[in-house]
Amino acid sequence: MMTNQGKRLFLALGFNRKTQRQISQYQNQFATWGSLVSTTNLHQTLAFLGQLGEEQEQQLRLWCRQISAAGFKQICDHFGYWRKPQIIYLAPDLPPPQLLSLVTSLHQITDALGIEREQRPYQPHITLCRKVRQPPELADLAVDISFHADHFALFQSRSDATGVRYIELERWPLLSN
């Protein structure tokens, strides 16, 4: 008998199709280095939540509806590689202060709800390629992608026979500036 373990959830910035295509054009150069993240799965995690039960999920949604945070423009201007998770990522040199403020608000909510989270400092990034075993030389690769974040969303990570899919469950607007 299978018990209901809840859903594997995270809060993130999702991207419109234009931004997804922009990122994908840069991402394609890494196709031979590892496994590319599906264009429809591209996102920037704000807070990973893990497995949440129905009650915690509903409380989280209520709290997220109360957030009053400013939208922002983010410029992603460099690629990076992390050895332990074996990923190539895209990131901003200077994260917008509004992004960091939003993440702080979300961490306060998760803490108040007793949701365990990583204690490492937040490092904004967009994972482009997984299972990259050999550290690539990225220093000479130019990138300049900017997007406007006008909402954040709750996503569910769902695995099936075709791989992992990220499904947007609910989104909340950020204030216009």
Side-chain angles (χ1 to χ4, degrees):
M1 183 167 87
M2 193 171 187
T3 59
N4 183 1
Q5 299 278 328
K7 298 175 189 164
R8 187 173 168 90
L9 302 174
F10 61 95
L11 294 162
L13 299 177
F15 304 118
N16 61 33
R17 292 201 194 293
K18 178 184 174 197
T19 303
Q20 286 175 336
R21 280 193 303 271
Q22 247 189 323
I23 294 170
S24 180
Q25 287 174 344
Y26 284 102
Q27 179 188 33
N28 287 333
Q29 66 190 311
F30 305 121
T32 60
W33 296 4
S35 177
L36 295 182
V37 172
S38 163
T39 303
T40 57
N41 276 353
L42 292 171
H43 69 279
Q44 182 174 308
T45 301
L46 302 170
F48 178 75
L49 307 170
Q51 296 288 129
L52 293 191
E54 184 67 30
E55 187 176 325
Q56 270 188 315
E57 178 186 340
Q58 292 311 315
Q59 289 176 341
L60 176 74
R61 288 177 185 236
L62 287 172
W63 282 60
C64 285
R65 289 180 192 131
Q66 306 303 314
I67 286 184
S68 179
F72 54 90
K73 179 181 180 180
Q74 180 170 289
I75 299 170
C76 291
D77 47 12
H78 75 272
F79 296 111
Y81 173 75
W82 285 326
R83 183 179 305 276
K84 187 167 183 187
Q86 296 181 321
I87 65 167
I88 294 173
Y89 62 88
L90 175 64
D93 267 335
L94 294 171
Q98 301 94 326
L99 167 64
L100 301 178
S101 177
L102 173 60
V103 169
T104 298
S105 295
L106 295 173
H107 286 173
Q108 290 169 344
I109 289 171
T110 57
D111 291 349
L113 293 174
I115 298 170
E116 283 189 43
R117 62 177 172 83
E118 282 190 274
Q119 295 304 310
R120 290 182 291 188
Y122 177 69
Q123 293 184 289
H125 69 281
I126 302 162
T127 301
L128 302 177
C129 190
R130 299 183 184 285
K131 300 178 186 169
V132 179
R133 299 191 193 293
Q134 199 62 26
E137 182 53 55
L138 300 170
D140 295 334
L141 299 178
V143 62
D144 183 16
I145 292 177
S146 65
F147 61 89
H148 185 77
D150 61 1
H151 71 278
F152 69 101
L154 177 65
F155 287 86
Q156 178 181 4
S157 175
R158 190 180 288 166
S159 297
D160 59 29
T162 60
V164 177
R165 290 184 309 131
Y166 301 141
I167 301 151
E168 185 178 300
L169 301 177
E170 187 171 350
R171 70 169 53 181
W172 300 278
L174 297 172
L175 303 173
S176 301
N177 38 349

